[in-house]
Structure formats: C-alpha cells, structure tokens
Amino acid sequence: MKNFILKDTTLIASKYDNQRFLPLILVLDEKDPFILKSASYYTRMLLEKGKPQTSLKEITRHIAKIWDYYSLIHKKSKDMKDRRLFLEKLARDLKNKSVLNWNTLSDQNIQKHLHNIKMFCLWVKRHPNCFDKYDKAFVKTIIQSHDFLQTLPHSTLFNPEKGKTTTHKQDKVIRSFPVDKIFELIQTTPNPRDKIMFILMAFGGRRPSELLHMFCQDFIIQNGLKVIIADPETSFFRWNDYSGSREE
C-alpha cells in the first residue's frame, strides 16, 4: 500500500499493476476502519478506462468529501426529507464554503468538486450494488437524494438555474480564420508591420510570439524578401544603440 495524503480524510493507494496505483478512501472508524467500497469500484472503473493518476487522486479526494459530509453532518439527522436533500445541501454548503473548513477552497476548485461529485453520484445510481455493509446506507442515501433532486425544477448539483453552472466550463472552441478572407485581410491592413505578420502567420506557419521576437535586420530585401527567424533564447542578436555602438 502506498500513502497518498493525510489531511481531512486519509487516502491510500493499492498497487494496481507495475505502473499504476488505485486510490482508495480509508475511513478511520475508531472500532473498525474500512475501505469505502463504492468509491474504490468507481475509481477502478476510471483507472481501467485510462484516467490519469493525478486525476484519479483528485476525484478520490472529492468523493471523500461526500463521505465526510455524510458521516459528520448528515447522519445526525433522522428526518427523511433531509435524506432526500442530502446532495442538494452538500452542493450548497460546498458552494457557500460553510462547513468542514471548505472556506479554503477556491471557486474554481469548488466547480471541479461539484463536477466530480455529480459524476460519482450518477455512477452510483447506475450501479446500486457496488457497496458492502459499511457503505450500504451511504449509497442508499445518494440514490434516494439523486432521484428526488431529479424531480425539482432547479437543483444546485443536477439542474442548475439558467445562467449558473455547477460543472466544468465548456472548453473554448477555437475557430480558424476563413481561408477565403486571408487575402482580403492582408490587402486591407494599412500597417506594414501588421501586414507582414499576417503574411508570415498565414503562409509561413509562424506563431505570434516568434514574430514579436524579430528585429528589423531579420528582414533582408535582396532579390525579394528574406526573413530570418531565430530562437529567442539561444540565438545571437546584433544591433546598434543610439550612440552608434554595436551590441550583441
């Protein structure tokens, strides 16, 4: 066994193969410590699908927060309504940073927590038998809460209000410049420097950072235009300062 982290919750890792470890949640019960089986089944599934070790460690830590909230706060309530609202209260308290020292989490980190918690809960709903006697009530509570929240018009975790999100922001879609507009762009650009930059980016495959490291003497007008592109760290540059002396 390899120890991952000792913080709010103890996470350990069992060797899975020669190169990978399976992160596990060790619940430090005073009488009978145990591994949270539902979480181990889930992380093993992700590991077999090729999830990176660093991501698995983060996901396991986020699932451990569900257990912390369940065991330290939720289990003290006997109200059936509280059981159905378990995931909603968890998500709201996480966003509000109101319990269990969650005030140390950044807003971006909270979004990752909510996303990973949601994915775990959806998986538990589809695999209701992946548990043992220790986390049977835990899994049952997640499923009951999941089913109830699906009936609500708005839920912090599953049905966020319009304009708000509890999952990762969508990756930006990079749209390429229309090919048929390149010549028009170059012809209508009045600044010679910008015109040359557009030409080199469009037809020379140059990055903007490469062009911004260029000097006037990198452009040689002789039988056409010749452009020298040098490495900004390892190449030598020569220029004359205002006094007329050459520097290198």
Side-chain angles (χ1 to χ4, degrees):
M1 306 287 282
K2 178 181 178 181
N3 194 25
F4 255 151
I5 180 172
L6 288 171
K7 201 173 180 182
D8 297 333
T9 305
T10 298
L11 304 186
I12 60 175
S14 175
K15 190 171 183 180
Y16 186 77
D17 55 28
N18 291 333
Q19 296 181 332
R20 298 178 295 175
F21 288 86
L22 178 66
L24 304 170
I25 300 173
L26 176 62
V27 179
L28 296 176
D29 186 276
E30 293 182 359
K31 298 180 180 179
D32 189 12
F34 60 91
I35 299 292
L36 199 62
K37 276 291 182 63
S38 53
S40 64
Y41 283 130
Y42 179 64
T43 52
R44 186 178 67 182
M45 178 273 297
L46 294 177
L47 180 65
E48 291 174 348
K49 286 188 175 182
K51 202 75 171 178
Q53 294 277 187
T54 52
S55 298
L56 283 176
K57 179 181 173 182
E58 180 182 70
I59 291 170
T60 306
R61 188 186 299 117
H62 295 171
I63 296 173
K65 279 189 168 56
I66 309 178
W67 176 264
D68 284 347
Y69 191 82
Y70 170 79
S71 62
L72 299 177
I73 296 178
H74 175 76
K75 281 175 69 174
K76 298 177 182 179
S77 175
K78 303 295 183 181
D79 192 340
M80 176 60 73
K81 184 178 179 181
D82 284 346
R83 181 182 297 177
R84 291 184 300 177
L85 289 173
F86 164 64
L87 293 175
E88 179 66 12
K89 289 184 175 181
L90 165 66
R92 287 183 180 179
D93 284 343
L94 189 60
K95 288 190 72 174
N96 296 331
K97 309 178 185 181
S98 56
V99 296
L100 300 179
N101 292 324
W102 288 346
N103 59 321
T104 59
L105 299 176
S106 67
D107 292 339
Q108 183 178 7
N109 203 356
I110 286 175
Q111 295 304 317
K112 290 183 179 180
H113 275 71
L114 292 173
H115 174 78
N116 290 331
I117 288 172
K118 177 182 177 181
M119 292 299 101
F120 173 69
C121 293
L122 291 173
W123 182 86
V124 167
K125 170 64 179 177
R126 294 192 294 266
H127 303 81
N129 298 318
C130 291
F131 60 85
D132 58 17
K133 63 178 182 178
Y134 296 105
D135 56 347
K136 180 178 180 180
F138 173 63
V139 170
K140 184 178 179 180
T141 299
I142 288 178
I143 293 175
Q144 287 181 342
S145 182
H146 171 275
D147 292 343
F148 178 70
L149 295 185
Q150 294 298 318
T151 66
L152 300 181
H154 298 297
S155 163
T156 306
L157 193 61
F158 293 102
N159 301 306
E161 296 180 19
K162 187 176 181 181
K164 298 181 180 179
T165 180
T166 57
T167 60
H168 287 307
K169 293 181 180 179
Q170 292 184 350
D171 294 335
K172 292 182 179 179
V173 178
I174 301 176
R175 299 176 61 185
S176 59
F177 190 84
V179 177
D180 57 333
K181 299 291 185 181
I182 291 178
F183 288 105
E184 181 181 345
L185 171 66
I186 294 172
Q187 291 171 357
T188 56
T189 300
N191 189 307
R193 183 203 66 176
D194 295 343
K195 191 186 293 282
I196 292 176
M197 288 183 68
F198 287 141
I199 292 174
L200 291 175
M201 284 190 289
F203 302 103
R206 300 298 93 193
R207 298 187 297 270
S209 60
E210 293 177 302
L211 305 179
L212 294 174
H213 280 91
M214 299 176 71
F215 291 88
C216 293
Q217 54 264 41
D218 291 327
F219 296 88
I220 303 174
I221 302 177
Q222 185 177 358
N223 298 325
L225 176 64
K226 183 181 293 185
V227 180
I228 300 175
I229 299 178
D231 188 284
E233 294 185 357
T234 60
S235 300
F236 289 99
F237 296 91
R238 293 186 176 90
W239 68 93
N240 296 327
D241 61 16
Y242 286 114
S243 65
S245 62
R246 172 171 290 189
E247 299 191 17
E248 189 175 289

